[in-house]
Amino acid sequence: MYENLTTICCQNSPPEDLTTSGSQILPTSEGQVRPITKLEPQEQWEVWQTAVELAGGKVPTGRIVKDVVQRIMERTKVPNTYQIGEVCQILVKDNPELRGKGGCWAIVTAVNDFSCTVRMWDGEYTVALQHLKSFNYLPAECEQMQVICDRINRVYSSSLEDSVQKFLESLGKLNRAYLTALEEKVLSLLESEITHKEAWGKAGIYASD
């Protein structure tokens, strides 16, 4: 990336400007160029120059560079073709907010201009289009995954034992539209246990009343 920016910089600037031109401002850390790693060299250069201008002629932060990339994406108006109920895979890429969710499946609950609201095993998230990849499941498979998602959401809680949480999280990373017989038995057992505890909790409330 640094070599790309340096090469294009030299091509675009006269020799006498190589040490004085503001266009010669180059990145000093990996985080500053991470948002543009997927772009073509010329696009990298254009984004970097815009970011330098926004930074007042200084080395821009990674956040400024990322904002420029986001503006370009919005300007190109890539259509959002996802549909409500569609099952997608989460692609973390360079988004720290999705850390730990890489490879997980999610169900689209709302379709926005440049993102989707998705439901996962532990709640809902708003995810940009570049962080989603459709599993291309059939409608019946999507419905089946919706049922599994609802079941996991009903029993998942941060108060559960760590081993139980890990099991439910593992179901949230399935790359198939069904549960195995053993997975079904374990999930059913958890559902029964949670229902039993809720019933006892309500009975205790009534008794105290």
Side-chain angles (χ1 to χ4, degrees):
M1 177 92 44
Y2 187 91
E3 291 176 353
N4 288 342
L5 294 177
T6 303
T7 300
I8 297 176
C9 173
C10 292
Q11 293 173 346
N12 292 348
S13 302
E16 61 272 18
D17 291 341
L18 288 180
T19 58
T20 59
S21 172
S23 65
Q24 298 310 303
I25 296 175
L26 295 169
T28 57
S29 71
E30 181 267 343
Q32 296 160 358
V33 296
R34 188 183 304 148
I36 58 178
T37 55
K38 302 296 182 181
L39 302 179
E40 294 297 323
Q42 186 60 41
E43 294 175 323
Q44 292 173 358
W45 166 255
E46 293 171 358
V47 168
W48 180 255
Q49 287 305 297
T50 301
V52 169
E53 292 175 6
L54 291 175
K58 300 179 180 179
V59 177
T61 62
R63 171 59 62 183
I64 293 177
V65 178
K66 187 175 182 179
D67 288 344
V68 174
V69 174
Q70 188 63 36
R71 290 183 196 178
I72 292 176
M73 289 181 59
E74 293 178 358
R75 190 167 64 241
T76 57
K77 294 187 179 297
V78 177
N80 188 344
T81 59
Y82 289 103
Q83 299 179 354
I84 293 177
E86 188 170 355
V87 182
C88 302
Q89 184 180 43
I90 299 295
L91 307 175
V92 174
K93 294 184 178 179
D94 60 346
N95 189 341
E97 296 177 2
L98 296 176
R99 189 168 297 145
K101 299 294 190 296
C104 292
W105 56 269
I107 298 176
V108 177
T109 59
V111 178
N112 313 310
D113 289 337
F114 307 107
S115 65
C116 287
T117 302
V118 299
R119 191 180 185 196
M120 301 177 66
W121 44 268
D122 63 344
E124 284 195 333
Y125 297 83
T126 298
V127 182
L129 299 184
Q130 67 266 30
H131 297 295
L132 293 173
K133 179 182 179 181
S134 177
F135 274 111
N136 294 316
Y137 283 156
L138 297 173
E141 292 175 317
C142 289
E143 292 177 5
Q144 188 167 331
M145 293 302 288
Q146 179 66 66
V147 172
I148 294 174
C149 185
D150 290 341
R151 293 175 66 188
I152 296 175
N153 271 263
R154 278 196 294 267
V155 299
Y156 185 84
S157 169
S158 58
S159 62
L160 292 172
E161 294 179 12
D162 186 63
S163 58
V164 178
Q165 288 188 47
K166 294 299 184 184
F167 168 72
L168 294 174
E169 291 172 11
S170 70
L171 296 184
K173 294 186 178 182
L174 297 177
N175 56 3
R176 45 182 160 80
Y178 62 89
L179 299 177
T180 64
L182 183 57
E183 289 168 345
E184 175 63 41
K185 287 183 179 179
V186 176
L187 181 56
S188 296
L189 179 62
L190 288 174
E191 289 174 318
S192 176
E193 182 71 17
I194 296 299
T195 301
H196 183 69
K197 286 184 177 180
E198 289 177 347
W200 271 104
K202 291 180 180 179
I205 293 175
Y206 294 145
S208 63
D209 289 343

